[in-house]
Amino acid sequence: MESGLAVGGAFISSALNVLFDRLAPQGELLKMFQKHKNDVRLLKKLRMTLLGLQAVLSDAESKQASNQFVSQWLNEFRNAVDSAENLMEEVNYEALRLKVEGQHQNLAETSNQQVSDNNLCLSDDFFLNIKEKLEDTIETLKDLQEQIGDLGLKDQFGSTKQETRTPSTSLVDDSDIFGRHKEIEDLIVRLLSEDANGKNLAVVPIVGMGGVGKTTLAKAVYNNEKVKDHFGLKAWFCVSEAYDAFRITKGLLQEICLTVDDNLNQLQVKLKESLKGKKFLVVLDDVWNDNYNEWDDLRNLFVLGDLGSKIIVTTRKESVALMMGSGAINVGTLSSEVSWALFKRHSLENRDPEEHPEFEEVGRKIADKC
């Protein structure tokens, strides 16, 4: 029972991450709504409401087993998130349909015209229909938000409770890597090559939505034998959402040497000296902070390394990738076959898939949805 509850919570959390990616301020979805300002405001309102509910999700998940009202609240939240997902899918489908129709029309007229996503013209009737559904979904979410106090749910983001997300490490199981072999090979080539402009330091951003495999890609190359032999020093640090220069510096220094200080200035001086003249590889995993001044201060610690030194940055945010480096590696979704192989690997672990052929049809559907 408890594992079922945990999986339910994980589905909400994963669905929210996908929605936040789609509702990003500079995302393609909002661009499609540019001519309909009221709908853009509704999308932003949807995002802010979901953020407010996400803040208590962890507390609700921990209380649902002992409180039937919280369990019912979570079920309603899950249904509302499903409705929001379906709305986004409806918009994507309509945009794709119009794009395909436009391409066919252009082919009939001339082979030189192109159909761009920015030229898609979604009808007023379509927007009116979407607006009504958006308003209903937001109203449902607002009702759930009003129940938070009565249910005694706590804001986990604003509390002093320690971050529950387990920081990533560089350890990797090669058998868990699916469908990323080309990206791995391309990234290894970039790490082993010298910068064309003769710079000592190059930053390689890896960008993509949550859970798509950015960290796994970084782990795979970090542990590659050629990469190990190429770099004199290697260090891995999981930055995550709470940006803290002291914590980052101390963590990287602990990777390189055992002795550390509790003074930020001494830590940064020691880290810069430890990297001076050495060819190093540093991984900064899960970076969210796009404050240029803070990045520039941190980058200063790495500029004295030897020619060919590299920093890998994984992030969900395009703004971080653009700020920290050039030529970002965009990690897309997996193909249907690879998704099915990954899903099968974990859902049927310790069991022979051939013994459960009845699971394949529904399993493939779940994998496609994921």
Side-chain angles (χ1 to χ4, degrees):
M1 178 66 175
E2 288 184 2
S3 63
L5 296 174
V7 169
F11 272 121
I12 298 178
S13 182
S14 298
L16 285 173
N17 286 334
V18 172
L19 282 171
F20 291 142
D21 282 333
R22 289 182 172 179
L23 294 168
Q26 303 302 321
E28 291 299 320
L29 188 68
L30 262 68
K31 290 178 183 177
M32 282 190 264
F33 280 72
Q34 281 178 346
K35 294 181 181 179
H36 297 261
K37 301 299 183 185
N38 289 333
D39 293 317
V40 170
R41 282 195 286 269
L42 278 175
L43 288 174
K44 291 179 179 178
K45 189 176 182 181
L46 172 64
R47 185 175 185 273
M48 295 308 298
T49 308
L50 287 170
L51 281 169
L53 289 164
Q54 185 194 37
V56 301
L57 179 59
S58 178
D59 192 38
E61 288 170 359
S62 66
K63 292 177 177 177
Q64 62 177 319
S66 58
N67 188 323
Q68 63 174 339
F69 299 108
V70 172
S71 179
Q72 182 180 347
W73 182 91
L74 265 178
N75 285 333
E76 292 175 7
F77 185 21
R78 186 180 298 112
N79 291 335
V81 169
D82 282 343
S83 296
E85 273 196 301
N86 290 337
L87 274 174
M88 302 304 105
E89 290 293 340
E90 195 173 336
V91 174
N92 285 339
Y93 176 81
E94 179 67 9
L96 180 61
R97 185 184 68 80
L98 290 172
K99 187 175 182 180
V100 171
E101 285 184 359
Q103 287 173 337
H104 284 308
Q105 182 178 350
N106 286 342
L107 285 171
E109 296 173 0
T110 173
S111 60
N112 295 324
Q113 292 180 331
Q114 296 292 324
V115 178
S116 70
D117 291 336
N118 294 330
N119 291 331
L120 291 175
C121 186
L122 300 172
S123 70
D124 290 338
D125 288 342
F126 177 80
F127 274 112
L128 183 61
N129 180 42
I130 289 296
K131 181 180 178 181
E132 291 175 356
K133 293 178 180 179
L134 261 178
E135 288 172 340
D136 289 344
T137 300
I138 292 171
E139 185 177 348
T140 300
L141 291 168
K142 285 288 186 185
D143 289 342
L144 291 170
Q145 211 168 24
E146 291 174 2
Q147 298 171 33
I148 287 174
D150 294 335
L151 293 171
L153 299 178
K154 304 297 182 184
D155 182 340
Q156 299 300 298
F157 294 160
S159 71
T160 57
K161 183 178 176 182
Q162 292 294 312
E163 175 64 57
T164 55
R165 181 186 181 276
T166 303
S168 69
T169 71
S170 62
L171 297 178
V172 66
D173 180 355
D174 289 338
S175 66
D176 278 338
I177 300 176
F178 289 81
R180 296 295 179 204
H181 301 297
K182 184 181 184 302
E183 290 95 333
I184 290 171
E185 290 174 4
D186 290 346
L187 183 50
I188 289 173
V189 169
R190 287 184 64 176
L191 293 181
L192 301 184
S193 64
E194 304 296 340
D195 187 88
N197 297 319
K199 294 181 180 178
N200 285 17
L201 178 68
V203 180
V204 183
I206 301 175
V207 64
M209 60 188 259
V212 81
K214 302 180 297 296
T215 300
T216 301
L217 175 57
K219 287 181 178 184
V221 298
Y222 189 86
N223 290 283
N224 179 269
E225 290 302 324
K226 290 181 181 178
V227 172
K228 286 181 181 180
D229 293 339
H230 186 74
F231 293 98
L233 281 177
K234 295 197 300 131
W236 178 289
F237 191 76
C238 181
V239 179
S240 204
E241 288 193 68
Y243 182 87
D244 183 341
F246 176 84
R247 187 172 59 89
I248 296 169
T249 308
K250 186 174 183 178
L252 290 173
L253 196 54
Q254 285 174 325
E255 287 271 281
I256 297 168
C257 61
L258 295 175
T259 58
V260 294
D261 295 280
D262 288 325
N263 177 282
L264 177 59
N265 181 64
Q266 291 299 317
L267 280 172
Q268 295 201 335
V269 169
K270 188 175 289 187
L271 178 58
K272 193 168 184 176
E273 283 297 316
S274 298
L275 297 174
K276 185 177 180 180
K278 297 184 176 69
K279 184 180 291 187
F280 60 80
L281 171 64
V282 168
V283 175
L284 299 176
D285 184 40
D286 196 27
V287 178
W288 290 75
N289 185 20
D290 55 7
N291 183 306
Y292 177 78
N293 290 330
E294 290 180 335
W295 159 237
D296 198 44
D297 288 342
L298 185 66
R299 185 184 60 82
N300 182 50
L301 304 178
F302 305 107
V303 295
L304 296 182
D306 194 13
L307 184 67
S309 294
K310 300 289 196 301
I311 298 177
I312 295 175
V313 175
T314 74
T315 181
R316 298 184 190 185
K317 300 177 70 175
E318 291 279 357
S319 57
V320 172
L322 288 170
M323 176 189 71
M324 299 183 82
S326 59
I329 295 175
N330 287 278
V331 182
T333 53
L334 297 170
S335 68
S336 295
E337 282 303 315
V338 175
S339 296
W340 165 236
L342 176 61
F343 184 81
K344 183 167 60 174
R345 161 79 166 79
H346 290 282
S347 62
L348 296 176
E349 192 169 17
N350 300 323
R351 288 182 288 180
D352 183 358
E354 301 299 326
E355 295 179 4
H356 304 279
E358 71 277 11
F359 290 164
E360 181 166 347
E361 182 179 357
V362 66
R364 285 184 176 275
K365 289 180 180 178
I366 294 172
D368 282 339
K369 179 71 173 173
C370 292

